[in-house]
Amino acid sequence: MPRNRGAVTTLLTGLSLAGMVPAMTVEGGTTAAVFAAYLEQVLLPWLRPGQVVVVDNVGAHKPDRMRALVEAAGCRLVFLPAYSPDLSPVEEAASLIKALVKAAGARTRAALDAAIAVALAAVSASDAAGWFTHAGYPTPQAA
């Protein structure tokens, strides 16, 4: 099985209690420009005012522009503490998605995009609620 061949494809997505939120893929890593494009073009149009956007504490997420974009949508931006994967339910979702994509054995960009779409759709609301609860977030289902 080929390993580490070709360009790196990065998946930008998030998790809500309903399951995965709209996603985008890019070749290469996540830069501030890439994250801003994801916010502006993909995530923010989907969000409702009052929602909280929780992001990893990485450099691409930190420019003041990111907070301004999220707040302009009527939402709030919150950063996870550094080195806190246990507080991020999306880490468990990512583990499932990676396993499903790897199992698909995609060898072209089109096949990879299709495998990612199938993997994203496989995350259920029940999965999401369990991962949020496991990470210590109160959920309506747990109340």
Side-chain angles (χ1 to χ4, degrees):
M1 179 176 253
R3 295 182 58 87
N4 300 323
R5 301 202 182 198
V8 170
T9 300
T10 299
L11 172 65
L12 289 96
T13 192
L15 183 69
S16 77
L17 286 172
M20 300 308 295
V21 304
M24 124 179 166
T25 60
V26 295
E27 286 195 22
T30 303
T31 63
V34 166
F35 187 64
Y38 172 69
L39 286 176
E40 291 175 312
Q41 299 168 23
V42 180
L43 183 62
L44 294 177
W46 179 83
L47 291 176
R48 294 178 316 278
Q51 288 186 292
V52 177
V53 177
V54 179
V55 296
D56 290 338
N57 199 346
V58 297
H61 297 161
K62 289 186 176 183
D64 291 339
R65 177 172 182 225
M66 306 314 169
R67 183 173 303 282
L69 288 169
V70 171
E71 289 176 354
C75 299
R76 191 173 73 154
L77 182 65
V78 174
F79 291 95
L80 287 171
Y83 309 108
S84 58
D86 290 348
L87 300 177
S88 179
V90 79
E91 293 292 332
E92 293 189 69
S95 179
L96 173 62
I97 291 164
K98 287 177 187 178
L100 293 171
V101 169
K102 185 175 181 180
R107 295 293 174 255
T108 65
R109 178 59 192 253
L112 177 60
D113 286 344
I116 290 170
V118 168
L120 290 170
V123 176
S124 70
S126 177
D127 292 330
W131 294 328
F132 274 96
T133 300
H134 184 252
Y137 294 90
T139 63
Q141 294 88 342

